[in-house]
Amino acid sequence: MKNRRMLFQAGLASLALTAAGYLSIAQAQDPLKVGFVYVSPIGDAGWTYQHDLGRKEMEQALGDKVTTSFVESVSEGADAERVIREMAASGHDLIFATSFGYMNYVDRVAKQFPNVKFMHATGYKSGPNFHNYNARFYEGRYLTGVVAGEMTKSDVLGYIAAFPIPEVLQGINAFTLGAQSVNPDIEVRVIWVNSWYDPGKEREAALALIAQGADVITHHTDSTAAVQAAQEKGVYAVGYHSDMSKYGKDAHLTAATHHWGDYYTLAAQKALNENGMAESIWGGIKDGFIDLAPINPVVPQATQDKVAQLKQQIKEGSFHPFTGPVVAQDGKEVLPAGQTMSDQALGQMNYYVKGVSSKMPN
């Protein structure tokens, strides 16, 4: 009797092990559930469009190893926390929050869901299950500044900006430095719209800058409104995030473009293979995060060649857009001649360089 009971117990144990094995196999085959939170509509150009292209590239690369979902037009407030928490609670393994203003909400939710991995775009906070990723947008900005500086006739460039955070100020200053490198007389005028995506405000700002004499317009906002306004008014434009040439066939000179697909694939693959996380990263041209849209043929070939050479030098690390001397708007030297600005100094940028004529917002 004792032996029969032992055999029965051994059989139960074997069944349990078998069941556990099947469960383990099933779990191993479960696709990684990946969520994306977007600050604006996806549309067909702009910040969110580029992130969604990256999501699709990741899906294509990893096939049935992943499933993805997204929520668009999520404002940077309590709504962001609600959406991020709902994604975490609904079984997502990896969540990409794609706007700077989501940072504190991601930080809060990540602590409540330690088994979920959170990646936040363009912020600086991190934690055990919360990393960040960013692009050196300023590298593309410098190159587009060279194009704008060569093409302006009025020597006045217009810049539509969202919020006065270091990332945006890096872009304004890099654009100005690039333009000054070929045109020392350049003046950059900035209008802040206090929104990442508000086509109406962006258009009004573009028209105001054009009325003030700007004959090349660029923007750090999500829509195509600035390019469309430039096309309508017969001035030039430099797009941002995406190639926006279809919205300004004559106006569009080029654009600084963003590319997230390889990174999203890497981050998801790392979670699949190692149950780990991609490290925090600040990638630039050499990493494939930043590129330029095709340059309009109206731009002289010599300028196109110069931009191509600078792009290669940035890629190789032999040129940095913030190489001293860098002088602030008030005339104070913030970086001596020959020195390269550190990442820490870039991350704390809170001033305009000389050549920007507008006042910093309070």
Side-chain angles (χ1 to χ4, degrees):
M1 186 65 180
K2 182 178 179 181
N3 288 340
R4 289 177 62 188
R5 185 162 57 241
M6 289 176 67
L7 285 171
F8 178 69
Q9 289 173 338
L12 283 178
S14 176
L15 282 172
L17 287 170
T18 303
Y22 284 138
L23 181 60
S24 176
I25 292 170
Q27 287 174 335
Q29 293 175 339
D30 285 344
L32 190 77
K33 194 171 180 180
V34 187
F36 290 79
V37 186
Y38 298 146
V39 73
S40 54
I42 293 173
D44 60 1
W47 172 261
T48 293
Y49 176 70
Q50 294 301 129
H51 283 282
D52 201 57
L53 282 182
R55 178 185 68 84
K56 292 175 179 175
E57 289 174 26
M58 185 251 292
E59 279 187 329
Q60 187 170 10
L62 298 180
D64 58 7
K65 295 179 183 177
V66 297
T67 62
T68 71
S69 62
F70 62 84
V71 181
E72 56 186 327
S73 301
V74 178
S75 60
E76 295 176 326
D79 199 34
E81 182 170 345
R82 177 186 62 78
V83 171
I84 296 164
R85 180 176 284 107
E86 286 178 358
M87 278 192 172
S90 62
H92 286 79
D93 305 293
L94 175 62
I95 296 172
F96 292 97
T98 67
S99 192
F100 176 82
Y102 294 160
M103 180 170 65
N104 290 334
Y105 305 107
V106 177
D107 188 32
R108 191 177 305 164
V109 177
K111 291 170 181 168
Q112 297 166 352
F113 292 87
N115 295 323
V116 179
K117 300 171 179 63
F118 296 85
M119 303 298 300
H120 175 243
T122 76
Y124 52 84
K125 289 186 177 180
S126 62
N129 61 328
F130 169 28
H131 293 178
N132 55 69
Y133 61 106
N134 202 351
R136 297 181 185 272
F137 308 110
Y138 64 85
E139 294 179 347
R141 288 293 195 188
Y142 185 94
L143 299 178
T144 59
V146 172
V147 175
E150 289 281 11
M151 295 302 290
T152 181
K153 300 297 183 189
S154 67
D155 293 342
V156 178
L157 310 180
Y159 207 111
I160 301 153
F163 297 101
I165 61 175
E167 170 196 326
V168 181
L169 289 163
Q170 290 162 21
I172 294 168
N173 290 338
F175 183 75
T176 304
L177 293 173
Q180 287 176 336
S181 72
V182 295
N183 186 345
D185 297 327
I186 213 75
E187 175 188 352
V188 177
R189 297 183 180 180
V190 183
I191 292 181
W192 297 89
V193 295
N194 297 313
S195 174
W196 294 116
Y197 180 82
D198 188 328
K201 281 186 177 179
E202 294 169 49
R203 174 180 167 78
E204 289 176 10
L207 295 176
L209 289 164
I210 293 167
Q212 293 173 24
D215 60 357
V216 183
I217 301 293
T218 191
H219 60 106
H220 192 135
T221 45
D222 288 4
S223 88
T224 58
V227 175
Q228 291 175 287
Q231 177 71 21
E232 178 184 320
K233 292 297 182 181
V235 301
Y236 290 127
V238 171
Y240 194 50
H241 312 300
S242 304
D243 180 346
M244 295 182 170
S245 55
K246 65 182 177 183
Y247 289 98
K249 180 175 67 71
D250 304 309
H252 193 268
L253 294 175
T254 184
T257 56
H258 310 165
H259 305 275
W260 306 103
D262 287 347
Y263 173 73
Y264 285 152
T265 303
L266 172 70
Q269 189 67 67
K270 200 168 184 66
L272 278 164
N273 289 351
E274 307 166 24
N275 193 28
M277 288 190 73
E279 298 297 324
S280 294
I281 186 171
W282 194 8
I285 287 175
K286 72 178 176 60
D287 307 289
F289 281 40
I290 299 296
D291 206 340
L292 287 187
I295 297 178
N296 192 314
V298 299
V299 177
Q301 188 60 49
T303 303
Q304 297 190 42
D305 293 344
K306 181 180 182 64
V307 168
Q309 182 182 20
L310 285 167
K311 179 182 168 184
Q312 184 63 29
Q313 290 176 327
I314 291 173
K315 187 175 183 178
E316 295 170 349
S318 60
F319 175 72
H320 191 295
F322 287 97
T323 298
V326 175
V327 179
Q329 188 184 49
D330 61 5
K332 179 181 177 183
E333 185 179 80
V334 293
L335 187 69
Q339 292 190 16
T340 297
M341 192 167 289
S342 68
D343 284 355
Q344 182 180 9
L346 285 166
Q348 296 173 348
M349 189 169 282
N350 61 356
Y351 54 86
Y352 288 139
V353 295
K354 188 177 181 181
V356 180
S357 60
S358 303
K359 299 294 184 185
M360 282 283 289
N362 296 322

